[in-house]
Amino acid sequence: MKGIRVLVVGLIFSLLLSTLAFAGLSGKLEIFSWWTAGGEAEGLNALFNIYHKLYPDVKIINATVAGGAGTNAKAVLKTRMLGGDPPDSFQVHAGHELIDTWVKTGFMEPVTFLYKEEGWDKVMPPGILNIVKYKGDYWSVPVNIHRANVLWYSKAVFEKYNITPPKTFDDFFAVCEKLKSKGVVPIVMGTKDGWEAGHVFETFLIGTLGAEGYKGLWTGKTKWSDKRVTEALMLFDKMLNYVNSDHSALTWDEAGQYLIQGKGAMMIMGDWTNGWFMAKKFDGYGWTLAPGNEGIFDALSDSFGLPKGCKHRDNVIAWLKVLGSKEGQKEFNMRKGSIPARTDVDMSDFNEYLQSCAKDWNKDKIVPSVIHGAAASEGWATEYKDAIALFVAKRNVMKTQKALIMAAEDAGVDQ
Amino acid sequence: MGKLNQDKLYAFLFVLPSIIVIFTFIYLFIGWTGYISMTKWNNVMPNLKFVGFRNYSRLFQIERFQIDLHNTLVFTTLFILACITIGLGLAILLDQRIKGESIFRSIFLFPMSLSFIVTGVVWRWILNPGSAQLGSVGINQLFDKIGLGFLKSGWYTDPDIGIKAVVIAAVWQLSGYTMAMYLAGLRGIPYELREAAQVDGATPTQVYRYVILPLLKPITIGAIIILGHISLKIFDLVAAMTGPGIGFSTDVPAYFMYDTTFRGNKFAQGASIAIIMLIMVGVLVIPYLIFSAKREEA
């Protein structure tokens, strides 16, 4: 008799618990992103799986728009947001792309309460917290961190010619000269998509200006007329002499083939290259930082936020909690090939590069990437990208610097 | 008299809905775009502060836009010339009353039934320069195989060719259409005229040079207008085939407008590009409208 009573009470209790856990969470959740292929799509699915286990009654709608760096997705998102039909949550680069485009304009709801409840403000470094913050509130949850200022090299080529990875610009060009005389392409680059050159140039700016000087470019503390900007342009111009001649026909990963085949030696590209090498089953690569970038972490981050007027607010809050959780950050980043924004995730299951990257994330100075939306508003970043893309074709230092000054003025930063 | 007025009233009432719709959705929106182009709206949220022609003067300082205008000029000129030459040539050949004429006519016309997106994707593949690793593909591979390897080129990835590669695709699509226009024109010329010329001892070349071509002038003007307005506002072909290209060598104003408006959030700047494109097309079309209106009166 007693046994039955215990059983009944237990049953009721567990029933109650289960209904409590799923209270109110049903219906749909629409997640908008440009993660359609490879590791990033797998990462997104891993997040969906975690979410689905916790809230089986919520139907997830995976709204993706294909296109690298989100160029097409952002246009679609804009029409939806301005038209009053926001997706429940959307992928956005943390930093000015988030703040200038969506927060200042009043499209988002702050998620500071989640940071307090979950303690995220204690486990993420200030470098990332500062760029998702505006007027004392947090506005999105960063899922991952990528590093932009990495120089990848072919171990085989470096060993063959007895080269040590360069640290300064002088070393770098000495290595280039040596490799060129041996008939190896010193730097491989693909400029087909328009943004890659801007990406490499950003690391050159960091190299000549340092962390504070580079950050100042986006706030007005450093003028674009600064002679160190001229110097960066001249160094970049010099570097173009050592680049594969067919760069304009290739995307960055097509150019990376040179490295895999040992026909090219070095490539400056973000650390998604690491994931790409793994996918190509290539492990003969080494890494160091772009010249002059010692101790600086050029970061970009994908994040998700809470749009005002989204249809399933509670579901979104649950989603953001999954994104910020240790488990979510680990499962996603292992697949995407990036590091968690949280510094307390166990990194032992990540590969060697990512482990070293995570160490730097804890100690380096963090600066925001411009070409990937963190450092400047979209309008400014677009003009910066155009100016550098033109520079690759025309190689005119004066004109390019003038265009860069004008872009800053357009963005309302006095020069 | 009363009856006539009533008829006029009815006629007016019948066209009124379309007048309202056209006025609202075309002319009002043109006016609205014109207004936006003179505001400060260069962010996501509308800012309708009037700034006069500042967006325009800024626009002409942007090197990308200067390149775009140059590209448009090159594209329009080559595209119209090539379409008219090829179209007229094909029409004259088909006009010889050859066997299977309708089959050829259909073949030449078929590309027109495709959208520019399809054409763009197909020609992107055909003119793909290939790569050092994968070897050549598309037309470069064809050149390799038939021993004409020296003809290989980077096509649209070569900044010196750039927009001219896009011209190839556009001509492929629309020269058949130009042919159809000319063929109709040729068929409209009474046979007696040719006979009369022949009786007077004109050689076939002379017949074309002095009799037929002058009579085809209205067709040519029509073709220039139609092809010209397509080429001045071309967007989809470029978007599908090349994008802005290296150093903006395949960029056009419409693509820049899309980029700056929807990626750069500069709505006012985008609107001023739109107005400049409207003016360019206007320069081409308005004289034609006046010309044809005058002819109708006469």
Side-chain angles (χ1 to χ4, degrees), chain A residues 71-72 75 78 82 101 105 107 191 248-249 254 257-258 261 378-379 382-383 386 390 393-394 399 406 410, chain B residues 43-45 58 61 63-64 67 129 131-133 157 159 246-248 256 258-259 262-267:
Chain A
T71 41
N72 299 324
K78 238 157 261 174
L82 295 175
T101 308
T105 46
F107 283 97
T191 55
S248 58
E254 285 165 352
Q257 287 285 356
Y258 274 101
Q261 295 179 356
E378 284 181 283
T382 310
E383 281 195 42
D386 284 359
L390 256 179
K394 305 259 158 115
K399 235 179 174 176
M406 220 151 67
D410 274 4
Chain B
N43 207 331
V44 177
M45 288 311 270
R58 174 74 181 82
Q61 288 171 17
E63 200 178 355
R64 178 174 179 180
I67 295 173
S131 61
Q133 299 87 36
T157 59
I246 302 311
F248 303 111
F256 185 29
Y258 168 74
D259 239 12
F262 296 109
R263 291 182 183 157
N265 296 337
K266 301 196 167 180
F267 288 82

Side-chain angles (χ1 to χ4, degrees), chain A residues 341-398:
Chain A
R342 292 175 73 129
T343 51
D344 60 345
V345 175
D346 174 25
M347 293 296 293
S348 54
D349 290 339
F350 287 71
N351 74 16
E352 200 192 336
Y353 165 76
L354 290 173
Q355 288 184 9
S356 86
C357 181
K359 265 182 219 138
D360 289 350
W361 176 240
N362 277 329
K363 66 178 194 338
D364 280 2
K365 280 185 201 141
I366 298 172
V367 300
S369 157
V370 56
I371 206 81
H372 301 285
S377 67
E378 284 181 283
W380 192 356
T382 310
E383 281 195 42
Y384 163 87
K385 182 198 78 183
D386 284 359
I388 303 304
L390 256 179
F391 183 75
V392 173
K394 305 259 158 115
R395 312 269 290 259
N396 187 330
V397 173
M398 289 272 290

Side-chain angles (χ1 to χ4, degrees), chain B residues 41-109:
Chain B
W41 187 3
N42 281 325
N43 207 331
V44 177
M45 288 311 270
N47 177 351
L48 297 181
K49 199 176 157 231
F50 189 79
V51 294
F53 287 96
R54 214 170 70 188
N55 290 313
Y56 291 91
S57 63
R58 174 74 181 82
L59 190 60
F60 283 100
Q61 288 171 17
I62 298 176
E63 200 178 355
R64 178 174 179 180
F65 191 64
Q66 296 161 1
I67 295 173
D68 288 353
L69 289 178
H70 179 253
N71 284 346
T72 302
L73 189 73
V74 172
F75 183 86
T76 307
T77 319
L78 291 179
F79 171 65
I80 292 179
L81 280 178
C83 273
I84 285 183
T85 321
I86 295 172
L88 181 62
L90 290 175
I92 290 174
L93 290 178
L94 279 186
D95 195 38
Q96 308 306 317
R97 312 207 176 254
I98 49 164
K99 239 186 182 170
E101 186 206 307
S102 68
I103 296 175
F104 285 111
R105 209 172 46 207
S106 310
I107 290 175
F108 295 143
L109 256 178

Side-chain angles (χ1 to χ4, degrees), chain B residues 6-45:
Chain B
Q6 213 175 18
D7 275 356
K8 268 193 173 168
L9 182 71
Y10 280 136
F12 179 70
L13 282 179
F14 271 113
V15 292
L16 188 64
S18 65
I19 287 178
I20 292 173
V21 169
I22 287 175
F23 180 79
T24 321
F25 288 102
I26 296 181
Y27 295 98
L28 201 73
F29 282 5
I30 289 177
W32 179 236
T33 306
Y35 177 70
I36 294 209
S37 74
M38 295 190 206
T39 66
K40 227 181 155 176
W41 187 3
N42 281 325
N43 207 331
V44 177
M45 288 311 270

Side-chain angles (χ1 to χ4, degrees), chain B residues 145-223:
Chain B
K145 290 249 162 90
I146 58 175
L148 293 172
F150 62 92
L151 282 176
K152 283 199 300 184
S153 98
W155 301 111
Y156 53 82
T157 59
D158 179 348
D160 295 330
I161 300 180
I163 196 83
K164 293 171 205 128
V166 185
V167 172
I168 298 176
V171 168
W172 174 80
Q173 173 144 8
L174 282 165
S175 53
Y177 173 64
T178 325
M179 173 212 73
M181 288 176 74
Y182 274 119
L183 196 57
L186 283 170
R187 292 284 150 85
I189 296 171
Y191 200 67
E192 292 79 35
L193 282 177
R194 301 185 199 206
E195 255 178 354
Q198 277 161 357
V199 168
D200 285 345
T203 63
T205 330
Q206 282 174 322
V207 173
Y208 275 102
R209 172 71 187 78
Y210 296 105
V211 179
I212 296 186
L213 287 188
L215 285 168
L216 286 176
K217 209 171 132 194
I219 308 277
T220 307
I221 293 176

Side-chain angles (χ1 to χ4, degrees), chain B residues 16 31 40 53 118 123 139 166 176 188 226-227 245 257 271 277 284:
Chain B
L16 188 64
K40 227 181 155 176
F53 287 96
V118 177
W123 280 93
I139 202 161
V166 185
I226 291 171
L227 297 173
M257 175 175 82
M277 284 166 62
L284 186 78

